[in-house]
Amino acid sequence: MELIFLGTSAGVPTRSRNVTAMLLDLQHPTRGGLWLFDCGEGTQHQLLHTTYHPGKLDKIFITHLHGDHLFGLPGLLCSRSMAGNANPLTIYGPAGIAEFVETTLRLSGSWTDYPLEVIEITDGQVFDDGAYRVIARPLNHPVECYGYRIEEHDKPGTLNAAALIADGVRPGPLFQRLKQGETVELEDGRMINGQDYLSAPLPGKTLAIFGDTAPCPGAHELAQGVDVMVHEATLETAMEEKANSRGHSSTRQAARLAQEAGVRKLIVTHVSSRYDAHGCKNLLAECREVFANCELAEDFTQVSV
């Protein structure tokens, strides 16, 4: 999986940072998959600076309905339609997202020429297609807000073809069934269990992407043991009380969550516009004092999961 940050500023854009949006390229060998998490104003403009096209998007996940996470959505939906794209798109988000999409399209005299489904989520599993599962948990913010945990299902182990041949099983269609862990009957009447010839399953990748939040129990559930955690760090540690009063986290709180949850890598984003490049270096230093394997995302930062 590849994560591409399209916007990393909190509240308002700056000269160097747009407001929140993240692309997740699943890079699945057969099904592909391009997902967008949040869609702040100007997201479609940011996409123009990448190799990705809006028509390739098949899912959009909105964390909450504050404008810096949402106001780019109507334009993106309309541009996708005007390009003549017919690929279906599903939007997930909190209560009110369906009304927002329907109202903005209706009042602007706009429409979509592709199948569009809008699903309003609650706490729990959002979907599971057999390859990936997405779980949502409510966060601590003034409006209904969610974080998302993306889990890739474990991949089957490698089939030991040499051992099968040594046991008298000839290569052919049976190998494919055995690779799926099935039990098959050979021509001589023997029963062969594919599980006996498979190596251990390959663990799938895990990723947690947070909306805006002050520390809360749901955050620990989302973050537990993930390969990469994307978390806001709106303000420095000295302004922690102010951050929390507005439903945000400080650098230290984001890093402490990563440490306590046993994540492998922390990416902090959603940086207040009060911080220039020097200020951002200080934010990152504060995070690394608590959790060393941490990066502060810039617009167009790419992270492999």
Side-chain angles (χ1 to χ4, degrees):
M1 291 188 279
E2 193 81 9
L3 187 65
I4 304 97
F5 289 82
L6 299 178
T8 56
S9 181
V12 296
T14 70
R15 290 182 181 272
S16 60
R17 295 178 182 270
N18 198 48
V19 283
T20 300
M22 287 161 272
L23 275 178
L24 180 63
D25 184 353
L26 298 178
Q27 298 182 327
H28 193 276
T30 57
R31 55 155 288 168
L34 186 62
W35 298 353
L36 179 67
F37 289 82
D38 282 335
C39 191
E41 181 182 357
T43 293
Q44 65 172 320
H45 295 267
Q46 297 291 88
L47 273 169
L48 294 173
H49 298 283
T50 74
T51 59
Y52 295 95
H53 189 277
K56 299 295 184 181
L57 287 170
D58 55 271
K59 296 186 185 299
I60 299 177
F61 298 86
I62 300 297
T63 61
H64 63 295
L65 303 187
H66 277 159
D68 59 319
H69 296 252
L70 181 66
F71 284 170
L73 186 58
L76 179 62
L77 295 179
C78 292
S79 293
R80 193 176 186 273
S81 187
M82 293 174 70
N85 188 278
N87 296 327
L89 177 66
T90 305
I91 300 173
Y92 301 86
I97 185 64
E99 181 182 2
F100 175 83
V101 170
E102 189 278 330
T103 301
T104 53
L105 292 180
R106 175 174 53 84
L107 292 180
S108 63
S110 305
W111 62 87
T112 59
D113 289 329
Y114 49 85
L116 176 64
E117 183 180 14
V118 182
I119 298 175
E120 296 192 337
I121 65 170
T122 55
D123 182 14
Q125 182 170 291
V126 173
F127 88 102
D128 187 339
D129 65 358
Y132 299 91
R133 179 169 74 141
V134 177
I135 298 167
R137 290 284 182 259
L139 301 176
N140 181 2
H141 202 54
V143 299
E144 185 178 2
C145 183
Y146 292 91
Y148 295 100
R149 180 184 175 100
I150 302 95
E151 299 176 346
E152 181 185 28
H153 285 270
D154 292 347
K155 301 172 184 177
T158 305
L159 185 68
N160 190 338
L164 282 167
I165 293 171
D167 287 344
V169 183
R170 290 178 297 179
L174 287 183
F175 270 44
Q176 189 59 39
R177 293 177 59 190
L178 291 167
K179 189 174 182 180
Q180 300 304 316
E182 296 182 24
T183 298
V184 301
E185 183 177 1
L186 303 182
E187 292 178 357
D188 60 10
R190 284 185 297 155
M191 303 299 292
I192 298 290
N193 185 349
Q195 296 287 352
D196 297 336
Y197 296 86
L198 289 174
S199 62
L202 302 175
K205 298 296 184 179
T206 53
L207 170 67
I209 295 178
F210 284 79
D212 295 356
T213 188
C216 65
H220 283 265
E221 290 186 58
L222 289 171
Q224 203 64 42
V226 296
D227 293 299
V228 174
M229 181 179 89
V230 179
H231 198 287
E232 66 136 287
T234 306
L235 293 171
E236 62 196 281
T237 298
M239 302 184 71
E240 191 168 275
E241 184 176 348
K242 181 176 182 178
N244 294 168
S245 71
R246 297 181 178 181
H248 293 293
S249 295
S250 70
T251 48
R252 177 177 63 178
Q253 289 171 327
R256 185 181 295 155
L257 172 61
Q259 182 186 60
E260 293 174 353
V263 311
R264 293 182 61 188
K265 186 179 186 68
L266 167 64
I267 310 294
V268 291
T269 184
H270 201 266
V271 177
S272 170
S273 59
R274 71 174 58 231
Y275 299 109
D276 57 13
H278 179 72
C280 286
K281 288 183 180 179
N282 291 336
L283 295 179
L284 179 58
E286 287 191 349
C287 289
R288 286 178 171 171
E289 286 177 4
V290 179
F291 188 81
N293 193 16
C294 174
E295 300 292 339
L296 192 150
E298 306 281 347
D299 285 17
F300 306 113
T301 290
Q302 295 193 32
V303 177
S304 294
V305 182

